[in-house]
Amino acid sequence: MPECVAALPMFAELVDEDASAQAPPAMDATPKVEIVVGDVVIRASADADEVLLTRAIRAARAAAL
């Protein structure tokens, strides 16, 4: 595993979404970004911090190995 990935946390919060219990989505005009890495979906606003997104993507890739 590359050293830059090894220093990242190796866990992520698990969220179980039950479609029948969800409220209708809020009408938000802010553009969204959805990144899929294997079975992991990372959702963020378009103005999300690049460093945070990079760390999240690296953690998802490392967890998929």
Side-chain angles (χ1 to χ4, degrees):
M1 180 180 314
E3 185 176 327
C4 63
V5 174
L8 297 174
M10 298 306 284
F11 61 90
E13 180 181 358
L14 174 65
V15 178
D16 183 52
E17 296 181 356
D18 181 0
S20 63
Q22 288 182 347
M27 298 304 290
D28 186 5
T30 306
K32 304 290 185 217
V33 175
E34 184 172 284
I35 302 166
V36 179
V37 180
D39 292 341
V40 177
V41 179
I42 302 167
R43 292 185 182 101
S45 63
D47 61 348
D49 180 53
E50 181 180 347
V51 173
L52 180 64
L53 282 176
T54 300
R55 291 186 71 178
I57 293 167
R58 287 182 178 161
R61 284 181 178 162
L65 295 177

